[in-house]
Structure formats: structure tokens, C-alpha cells
């Protein structure tokens, strides 16, 4: 499966957190966690739509605070019939 585009310094555990947020968070809700390496992460679902194929699609923004630097990545993903979320 295509990995969700989130901040480059984050790992597969953070991918799992992002996927959980896509699955369960209401649009506009900010979800926060700390990465295994101690990086504070925020994830927000910006918009929820349906694709032409009837899949749920969500646009999101991920922000990681790395020292004094903030990395923000925006992306979009759709939920497939097998239950996985994949970048679009």
C-alpha cells in the first residue's frame, strides 16, 4: 500500500496513528501524539468527500515540531474496499 505522505522524519508507527485519525477523527478535529523519537505531531482532517468510485476521501495536514523548526505536510487519502487508506 502507498504510505500516507506525512512528515519525512516520522516512521511507520506515526503512519499507523495517521491512519487511525483518518478512520475515526471528525473533520476539523486535531489529533496529537508524540513520535517514538519524541517529536510532537498534530494531525488534522481538513475535509471529507466522496470519490467518483464512492470511496470516502479525506484531506489532511500533518505538523511535526522538530526543535525550533515546524514541518507541515498536506495530503489526501481515500479508503479502499479492503479497509486500507491510500494516498491519492
Amino acid at each position: 500500500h502507498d504510505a500516507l505522505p506525512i512528515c519525512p522524519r516520522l516512521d511507520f508507527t506515526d503512519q499507523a496513528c495517521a491512519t487511525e485519525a483518518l478512520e475515526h477523527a471528525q473533520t476539523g478535529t486535531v489529533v496529537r501524539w508524540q513520535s517514538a523519537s519524541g517529536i510532537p505531531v498534530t494531525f488534522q482532517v481538513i475535509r471529507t468527500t466522496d470519490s467518483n468510485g464512492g470511496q470516502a476521501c479525506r484531506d489532511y495536514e500533518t505538523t511535526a515540531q522538530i526543535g525550533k523548526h515546524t514541518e507541515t505536510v498536506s495530503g489526501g487519502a481515500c479508503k479502499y474496499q479492503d479497509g486500507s487508506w491510500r494516498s491519492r
Side-chain angles (χ1 to χ4, degrees):
H1 300 302
D2 295 338
L4 297 176
I6 61 173
C7 298
R9 296 186 196 202
L10 302 179
D11 64 18
F12 68 95
T13 303
D14 300 301
Q15 289 279 338
C17 291
T19 300
E20 284 296 307
L22 283 172
E23 185 69 31
H24 300 291
Q26 293 184 7
T27 301
T29 301
V30 175
V31 178
R32 293 179 172 84
W33 69 86
Q34 191 164 335
S35 73
S37 57
I39 298 169
V41 180
T42 60
F43 185 95
Q44 183 176 25
V45 175
I46 305 297
R47 181 175 52 207
T48 302
T49 58
D50 288 330
S51 72
N52 291 338
Q55 301 146 311
C57 295
R58 305 190 93 178
D59 295 328
Y60 61 86
E61 186 174 271
T62 307
T63 303
Q65 187 69 40
I66 301 165
K68 294 181 180 178
H69 179 69
T70 301
E71 287 186 15
T72 301
V73 174
S74 298
C78 295
K79 186 174 182 177
Y80 284 74
Q81 288 181 344
D82 65 3
S84 66
W85 285 90
R86 300 181 207 166
S87 62
R88 56 177 161 162

